């Protein structure tokens, strides 16, 4: 960690700073001095000893927006870090608290915020840092560049039942070929018998689950009428697609694997999606029934999280769950396809 840090007169002589308790001022200086290259401080016991600071001093800094504590776990962020410090790329070392950094956004004055609804946001901090921590390009242009990149990324996510169904059908042969090459003869026979009894339809519109396992007499229209309510509901779901899926997928047989996927998802996410989220559990179960290995599904989750971490609207439990429900089957297939082509 660097031996020198900068503090701006604009901060130190601001009314919000001048009016604070002397210990709180001293605490701020020591936090800045001990911050990593992204302005994060995770070990404060020595700082507390040197400054005689207690929780009231931290609370005063938090109230004056001089520091942030996004996860309430003792990792503090210097709000105006990049407004005061410039770390050259050749010596810059990213923070070890990446899960905390993923919760932050950079503003046009290069200050941190945890509020994605503020009007003067450039982009998520992770994206801004990956673009080189640019402070020369006008913030408005940077914000426009992020918006364009976000829109371009969104275009890559399938929009319609017809579009994704074509991709699923085209990919099905590759999936079955790969599975048959790697499984014993008995397993192959069981797999073929199972596939003869079902067809796979992908739904990415209207909050659908993704690739559903349906009877041959079901139709696309039943998917399009599916309600978007999470964890059940009392709208069009009753007697519709969700009930059929729940009747056909025996989640009990795969419960350990489903729980394992929930644990994996929550270990790499800043949210905590409960295991009783029935629709997401059905997606996991359907993929397992479809013959995917747990590792394949985890890679699909990884790819979705890489996109979700760059999009403010997916930083909460409900929206992230819906994104996974809609697109995990497609992302898992894409991951497997890329893996097969590399082989």
């Amino acid at each position: 960690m660097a031996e020198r840090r900068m503090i701006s007169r604009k901060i130190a002589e601001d009314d919000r700073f001048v009016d604070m308790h002397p210990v709180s001022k001293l605490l701020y200086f020591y936090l800045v001095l001990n911050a990593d290259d992204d302005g994060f401080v995770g070990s404060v016991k020595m700082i507390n000893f040197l400054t005689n600071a207690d929780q009231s001093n931290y609370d005063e800094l938090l109230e004056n927006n001089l520091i942030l504590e996004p996860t309430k776990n003792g990792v503090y962020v210097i709000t105006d870090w990049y407004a005061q410090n410039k770390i050259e790329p050749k010596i810059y070392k990213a923070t070890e608290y990446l899960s905390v950094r993923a919760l932050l956004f950079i503003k046009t004055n290069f200050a941190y915020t945890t509020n994605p609804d503020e009007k003067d946001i450039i982009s998520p901090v992770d994206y801004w840092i990956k673009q080189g921590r640019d402070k020369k390009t006008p913030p408005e242009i940077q914000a426009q560049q992020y918006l364009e990149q976000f829109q371009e990324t969104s275009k890559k996510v399938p929009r319609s039942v017809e579009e994704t169904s074509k991709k699923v059908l085209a990919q099905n042969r590759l999936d079955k070929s790969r599975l048959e090459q790697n499984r014993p003869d008995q397993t192959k026979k069981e797999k073929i018998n199972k596939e003869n009894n079902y067809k796979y339809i992908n739904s990415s519109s209207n909050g659908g689950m993704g690739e559903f396992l349906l009877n041959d007499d079901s139709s696309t229209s039943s998917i399009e009428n599916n309600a978007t309510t999470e964890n059940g509901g009392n709208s069009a779901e009753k007697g519709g697609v969700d009930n059929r899926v729940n009747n056909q997928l025996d989640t009990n047989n795969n419960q350990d694997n489903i729980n394992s996927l929930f644990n994996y998802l929550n270990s790499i996410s800043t949210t905590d999606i409960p295991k009783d989220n029935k629709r997401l559990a059905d997606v996991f179960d359907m993929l397992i029934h479809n013959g995917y290995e747990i590792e394949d599904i985890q890679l699909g989750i990884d790819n979705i999280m890489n996109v979700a971490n760059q999009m403010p609207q997916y930083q909460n439990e409900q929206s992230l769950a819906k994104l996974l429900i809609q697109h995990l089957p497609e992302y898992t297939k894409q991951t497997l396809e890329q893996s097969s082509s590399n082989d």
Side-chain angles (χ1 to χ4, degrees):
M1 187 172 67
E3 295 295 323
R4 297 180 179 86
R5 297 303 190 192
M6 299 294 292
I7 295 180
S8 169
R9 280 183 56 193
K10 184 178 180 180
I11 301 297
E13 296 180 358
D14 188 89
D15 287 348
R16 59 176 175 162
F17 191 89
V18 172
D19 292 339
M20 288 195 308
H21 190 280
V23 173
S24 300
K25 297 177 186 177
L26 184 61
L27 173 61
Y28 181 78
F29 286 127
Y30 267 92
L31 288 173
V32 172
L33 183 62
N34 286 274
D36 61 26
D37 287 354
D38 283 322
F40 289 61
V41 188
S43 299
V44 297
K45 286 186 177 180
M46 179 58 70
I47 296 175
N48 294 342
F49 175 77
L50 293 173
T51 62
N52 199 30
D54 57 26
Q55 187 59 46
S56 65
N57 301 114
Y58 285 93
D59 290 341
E60 190 170 17
L61 293 176
L62 289 166
E63 290 171 4
N64 285 286
N65 198 36
L66 289 165
I67 63 172
L68 303 170
E69 191 185 11
T71 57
K72 309 300 180 185
N73 65 350
V75 177
Y76 296 97
V77 181
I78 309 300
T79 306
D80 299 290
W81 176 256
Y82 277 111
Q84 300 180 94
N85 288 274
K86 179 181 179 181
I87 314 296
E88 294 298 329
K90 62 181 180 180
I91 62 173
Y92 166 76
K93 183 179 180 180
T95 183
E96 63 181 280
Y97 305 109
L98 296 178
S99 62
V100 178
R101 197 178 74 181
L103 302 175
L104 300 175
F105 301 87
I106 198 77
K107 299 166 63 175
T108 55
N109 63 354
F110 302 108
Y112 288 132
T113 181
T114 56
N115 182 7
D117 297 324
E118 291 195 32
K119 295 181 179 180
D120 55 348
I121 285 178
I122 296 176
S123 72
V125 169
D126 280 350
Y127 176 85
W128 185 72
I129 289 178
K130 288 177 182 178
Q131 300 306 307
R133 300 174 296 134
D134 185 6
K135 295 175 71 174
K136 295 181 179 180
T137 304
E140 295 77 11
I141 295 179
Q142 292 192 54
Q144 181 62 32
Q145 290 173 345
Y146 170 71
L147 179 60
E148 292 172 355
Q149 192 274 347
F150 167 76
Q151 292 173 339
E152 186 64 27
T153 302
S154 299
K155 292 178 183 178
K156 298 178 182 179
V157 179
R159 295 285 183 183
S160 66
V161 173
E162 292 77 14
E163 178 185 355
T164 54
S165 294
K166 290 178 182 179
K167 293 183 179 180
V168 170
L169 293 174
Q171 183 64 31
N172 240 4
R173 293 181 181 178
L174 175 62
D175 293 343
K176 288 188 284 187
S177 175
R178 175 182 179 273
L179 292 170
E180 291 172 0
Q181 290 174 3
N182 292 282
R183 293 177 181 267
D185 291 340
Q186 183 62 32
T187 305
K188 284 192 281 185
K189 292 179 181 178
E190 293 175 356
K191 178 65 179 174
I192 292 172
N193 290 336
K194 184 186 295 184
E195 288 171 349
N196 287 336
N197 293 329
Y198 298 103
K199 71 177 180 180
Y200 304 93
I201 299 178
N202 185 287
S203 169
S204 62
S205 63
N206 298 323
M209 258 179 42
E211 186 185 13
F212 283 127
L213 194 59
L214 302 174
N215 283 329
D216 285 335
D217 59 355
S218 63
S219 66
T220 303
S221 61
S222 65
I223 299 175
E224 292 174 344
N225 292 329
N226 178 37
T228 61
T229 307
E230 286 289 325
N231 298 323
N234 49 17
S235 60
E237 288 180 336
K238 293 187 176 180
V241 174
D242 280 357
N243 283 345
R244 277 192 224 114
V245 173
N246 293 341
N247 290 335
Q248 293 165 0
L249 297 180
D250 184 8
T251 57
N252 291 331
N253 292 339
N254 297 317
Q255 195 59 52
D256 289 342
N257 288 332
I258 292 172
N259 289 339
S260 174
L261 289 170
F262 270 108
N263 291 337
Y264 179 78
L265 169 62
N266 289 328
S267 71
I268 63 172
S269 170
T270 57
T271 65
D272 188 12
I273 299 178
K275 295 179 182 178
D276 61 0
N277 188 313
K278 180 61 177 173
R279 295 184 65 187
L280 183 54
D282 284 342
V283 173
F284 290 154
D285 189 58
M286 175 273 301
L287 288 170
I288 295 170
H289 272 275
N290 204 5
Y292 288 103
E293 303 292 341
I294 298 300
E295 293 77 9
D296 296 332
I297 304 172
Q298 289 176 343
L299 289 175
I301 292 173
D302 288 340
N303 285 342
I304 286 185
M305 292 304 301
N306 288 338
V307 176
N309 286 336
Q310 305 298 326
M311 301 182 181
Q313 63 268 43
Y314 296 124
Q315 302 300 316
N316 63 75
E317 170 194 318
Q318 185 177 10
S319 60
L320 179 59
K322 287 184 178 180
L323 181 70
L324 288 159
I325 289 168
Q326 291 173 344
H327 300 300
L328 182 57
E330 178 68 20
Y331 272 69
T332 303
K333 287 179 180 295
Q334 290 176 354
T335 300
L336 183 57
E337 182 179 19
Q338 293 171 358
S339 176
S340 300
S341 63
N342 291 336
D343 293 341

